[in-house]
Amino acid sequence: MKPSFSIVGCGRVGTALAKFLSKVGYIPTGFASKSLSSAKRAAALIGSTNFTDVLWEATKKADIVFITTPDGAIEEVCKSIADKNGFNSDSIVLHCSGALTSEILLSAKTCGASIGSLHPLQSFASTTEYNINPFSGIVTSVEGDKKAVDAAKLIVEDLDSVCISIKTDTKILYHASAVVASNYLVTLLDLSLNLICQAGVPAKDAFKGLKPLIEGTLSNIENMSIPDALTGPIARGDVQTIENHLSEIGSKTPNLLPLYKTLGLHTIEIAKAKKTITDSTAKRLKELFGDSISQK
Ligand SMILES: NC(=O)c1ccc[n+]([C@@H]2O[C@H](COP(=O)([O-])OP(=O)(O)OC[C@H]3O[C@@H](n4cnc5c(N)ncnc54)[C@H](OP(=O)(O)O)[C@@H]3O)[C@@H](O)[C@H]2O)c1
């Protein structure tokens, strides 16, 4: 028999967990949220009437408690339940934040519970529209107490997700990586789109023009190493082209120059790993990009 579970914080992630854990046989014992209406909606989605706005009433009987409130409320919510002795002593308390570690749940240990985190690398945008399992095929990271991690691994497997274990003290780097891959990709494309629009390409055509290049590069990264996927003037050691870029960006959109230079400096390191540029070309490029250390 699968364990029982309760959800505290019936928003996007809590609702998706409720729906897809129930589907694979986990037994819902309680739904709690700040608003009774959210708890009622999540419970109704799986035909349950066990909803409340009294948090510790929802958690008392559960083998696994998911605290899926916004990150800023997790610690306080956990403590408020622990203060009421609301976790059963064999239970496992998990949150789903990528940025926080399981240590934020320490108060649950006063009830004897084990603590962990289970972070799905997925974007959950809705509380209702999950006809397809959003956990299926994605990577979900877990960390925490051994007992909590063992249970979390089974949950991840049952959700048809791919599990990776993270050490508690490195989780913030894992989260920084996800931020770079998602948020900074947006920033990078903003830089690219700004430059192509400066070149006179209409904004409505700009992304369409760049998309095959982006997809081809992603495919290369997937199929080869990062150095092998790098093409272009830095990988070729084409100093003249870089000088032209710097001069043109500097005159037309100087506010974008520091970002272009910073990315260029890191790209030199990738070109060096690719072994397609000489040390003297790398040094010249570093001077152009303004690496004060290499200029000494
Ligand atoms: N959304 C994503 O794409 C995503 C992806 C991965 C991980 N996560 C993580 O998953 C967790 C939940 O995120 P989410 O996007 O599902 O948030 P959300 O949609 O905003 O849902 C949070 C829910 O918690 C309830 N809540 C807020 N404060 C509360 C409190 N003090 N006590 C009880 N319930 C409270 C909310 O209010 P009401 O009861 O008023 O509705 C809401 O229903 C976060 O740790 C987040 O970092 C999110």
Side-chain angles (χ1 to χ4, degrees), residues 9-13 33-35 38 68-71 96 122-124:
C10 297
R12 289 164 289 189
V13 171
S33 214
K34 194 158 72 175
S35 331
S38 296
T68 46
T69 62
D71 286 10
C96 293
Q122 172 67 288
S123 175
F124 296 79

Side-chain angles (χ1 to χ4, degrees), residues 161-238:
S161 197
V162 178
C163 189
I164 56 168
S165 291
I166 302 281
K167 287 190 183 136
T168 300
D169 59 2
T170 62
K171 187 168 177 190
I172 196 67
L173 288 179
Y174 153 87
H175 186 250
S177 166
V179 166
V180 171
S182 173
N183 308 159
Y184 290 4
L185 179 60
V186 175
T187 309
L188 194 64
L189 291 179
D190 183 62
L191 170 65
S192 175
L193 288 166
N194 262 296
L195 293 174
I196 203 169
C197 289
Q198 283 289 326
V201 176
K204 67 177 177 48
D205 299 329
F207 183 72
K208 204 172 161 194
L210 292 168
K211 197 176 166 210
L213 195 59
I214 297 162
E215 288 177 340
T217 307
L218 286 178
S219 166
N220 289 342
I221 290 170
E222 192 169 12
N223 294 308
M224 45 182 88
S225 67
I226 288 280
D228 284 344
L230 183 69
T231 59
I234 296 177
R236 287 195 304 272
D238 182 351

Side-chain angles (χ1 to χ4, degrees), residues 230 267-279 282 286:
L230 183 69
T267 308
I268 296 169
E269 299 308 315
I270 303 171
K272 279 165 72 181
K274 189 178 171 80
K275 297 190 170 59
T276 52
I277 57 171
T278 62
D279 286 350
K286 279 189 181 181

